[in-house]
Every structure is written in C-alpha cells, then in structure tokens.
Amino acid sequence: VKPLPSSSSSSSSSSSSSPSTYLLQVTHTSVSSSNSYLAIGHGPLKELMIGANTAVAFTTQNDNQAKAAAYFLDKRSAPQDNSCRGSDDDDGAAPICPFQNLQATKTKNNLTITTTWHLPKFVTNVSDVTFIFAHGTRWKSFHDFYGHARVNLNTGRASTVVAQSRRDIYALHGALMIAAWLGATPLASLAARALRFGLLAAPRWFWLHVSLQACSALWFLYAVALVLTGDDDGNDDDDDDDSDLEIADDSDDDDDDD
C-alpha cells in the first residue's frame, strides 16, 4: 500500500490530510495452475464481499497471459463484466470505479495485481481499513482461499490477516455429515432398540437416544450452514500460507527525497 500524491498543488493544510489515492499491490506467491486468479476488494461491509468492488488478476489456459479487470460484487455469484462502480457519496459527481490503472503480471509461480485505489468517502478511519482478498483456479468459480486484511494506510502495514480455505470448509462439512449419519443417528437407534437393558435401563436409554439424535441434528445443520454461508472463521495470522500481501512503507524514500 503506497499513498500517491494529490494532483492538486500542495499546501501546508493539504499536506497534513490523508491522501485520497493509493497504489495497491498484492501477490499470490504459490500459483500452481496456468488458470488462476487473485482478487482484492473493498466495500462498506468490511470483510463481507457483498457490496464491494474488487480488482482481479487472472490467467486462462488458452494464452496463459495475465489480465486485469474490476467488478462489483452484488451477490454471492459470478460478477458481471464492467460492473465496478463508485459509491453514492461523491458529492454529486459521477461515481467512478475506485480501482483504476489495473495491471496484472505473472511469473512462473507468482501472480500480481497492481492498481490505484481511490479512497471512498465512507472510510472515516484510514488507520484501520479492511480489504478482502481471494484466490483460486478458474476465475468466477469458487475460491480456494479467501479472507480479509486490516491495513493501516498511514503506515502501510497490515495489523491482521484472516484467511480461510474453502477446502477446509468442505472437509469439515464432510466430517460432520459422517459423524451425524454414520455415527450419532445409528447409535441413537441402537440405544432405543438393543441397549435399553442393564446399565441403560429406562430412562437412561431414552436420554441417550435423545442426546444422540440432538447431536446428529446440530451437526447436520451446522454442516449445511458451512456450505451455504461460507464460514468466515479463520485463524488470525500475520502470514497467509498461500498469499503474500505486500505492504510497502515509503517513509524512508520520502525522507531521501527531501
């Protein structure tokens, strides 16, 4: 994240205010497919993708060339082309996409998106701005990894990076379904039919039966919710295993220029 100088003439009053345009650069450092994508976005709902604009770098199997485009995410489905738009708080000016001058570059294992980003007016605290990110294979398909980063635009540093693997969600979904339908539910039936004697004489077998059925129902509902909502619970970590959020601090460069 790098602040860009204002196009207007500088003054003592404007120099103390926050820049309105920033240079963003994000690199995915473990690209394993020629058909990959990397996206960074920002919206009023912070870590949620709904209502956010996003800049995407992607490659295709046809030419293996990196391309860049911007989109508006209005729902949990593939975005429409040329849909990126500005916010409605631009003082009556025609809203423009906050992501401009998009560039995408690809090396053997790296995919990078570089773009200028105009600070929306609904952002009131530049020391804590939340960007969402995602990467995977086959652009406009499900993400392999997704998450959000909280960035201090004054220092150019990310205080928190939260990443979630969709593969982990699917694995947990499968484990919960197996535990519910092949574990708790059969055991509940067994307790009601064959284990209601001795130590499990009434009413113990009944409460065991009810408890196992309740566990099965809860595991099933949670497993379904994981897939429908895309659980955002991640592990707070300063390093994402598969993405590198490159944060540039140009304070030293500015000092050298003086």
Side-chain angles (χ1 to χ4, degrees):
V1 178
K2 173 184 176 182
L4 297 179
S6 174
S7 58
S8 61
S9 59
S10 62
S11 64
S12 59
S13 60
S14 62
S15 61
S16 61
S17 61
S18 298
S20 61
T21 304
Y22 295 81
L23 180 67
L24 307 181
Q25 185 178 83
V26 181
T27 300
H28 176 19
T29 59
S30 302
V31 176
S32 58
S33 171
S34 61
N35 190 10
S36 302
Y37 70 87
L38 169 67
I40 181 173
H42 179 267
L45 300 181
K46 294 188 177 181
E47 66 267 20
L48 300 182
M49 63 178 286
I50 303 299
N53 287 299
T54 182
V56 183
F58 58 94
T59 59
T60 62
Q61 290 181 334
N62 296 332
D63 54 16
N64 197 29
Q65 297 296 315
K67 303 176 182 179
Y71 304 87
F72 177 72
L73 308 175
D74 60 344
K75 53 187 176 181
R76 289 183 178 274
S77 61
Q80 299 296 317
D81 293 337
N82 303 316
S83 58
C84 183
R85 66 194 191 193
S87 61
D88 297 329
D89 58 0
D90 292 331
D91 296 335
I96 61 173
C97 176
F99 294 105
Q100 298 289 330
N101 306 310
L102 284 84
Q103 294 181 357
T105 56
K106 183 181 184 299
T107 60
K108 182 178 180 180
N109 295 316
N110 292 356
L111 180 61
T112 300
I113 177 72
T114 304
T115 177
T116 58
W117 176 67
H118 181 73
L119 183 71
K121 292 199 172 147
F122 61 78
V123 176
T124 58
N125 183 10
V126 296
S127 64
D128 187 11
V129 178
T130 300
F131 292 94
I132 58 174
F133 62 88
H135 64 79
T137 56
R138 294 183 297 114
W139 168 228
K140 294 190 178 182
S141 63
F142 287 112
H143 309 314
D144 290 339
F145 281 82
Y146 63 94
H148 65 273
R150 297 175 60 182
V151 180
N152 185 333
L153 298 182
N154 292 323
T155 63
R157 299 186 181 278
S159 61
T160 303
V161 177
V162 178
Q164 175 69 48
S165 168
R166 190 169 292 274
R167 291 191 296 267
D168 293 343
I169 291 178
Y170 291 158
L172 180 57
H173 169 84
L176 289 171
M177 285 294 191
I178 291 174
W181 295 110
L182 297 183
T185 298
L187 285 176
S189 299
L190 183 65
R193 299 293 297 176
L195 299 179
R196 48 184 186 171
F197 307 102
L199 293 177
L200 292 179
R204 295 188 181 93
W205 72 266
F206 175 77
W207 292 116
L208 176 62
H209 171 82
V210 170
S211 299
L212 289 171
Q213 291 284 31
C215 288
S216 178
L218 291 175
W219 293 340
F220 168 76
L221 292 175
Y222 185 56
V224 172
L226 282 178
V227 176
L228 292 180
T229 63
D231 182 46
D232 286 334
D233 290 338
N235 295 320
D236 288 357
D237 198 348
D238 290 337
D239 297 313
D240 180 12
D241 291 340
D242 290 275
S243 288
D244 180 17
L245 184 64
E246 296 191 349
I247 309 298
D249 186 356
D250 288 351
S251 57
D252 294 338
D253 295 340
D254 295 338
D255 293 340
D256 293 339
D257 294 338
D258 294 339

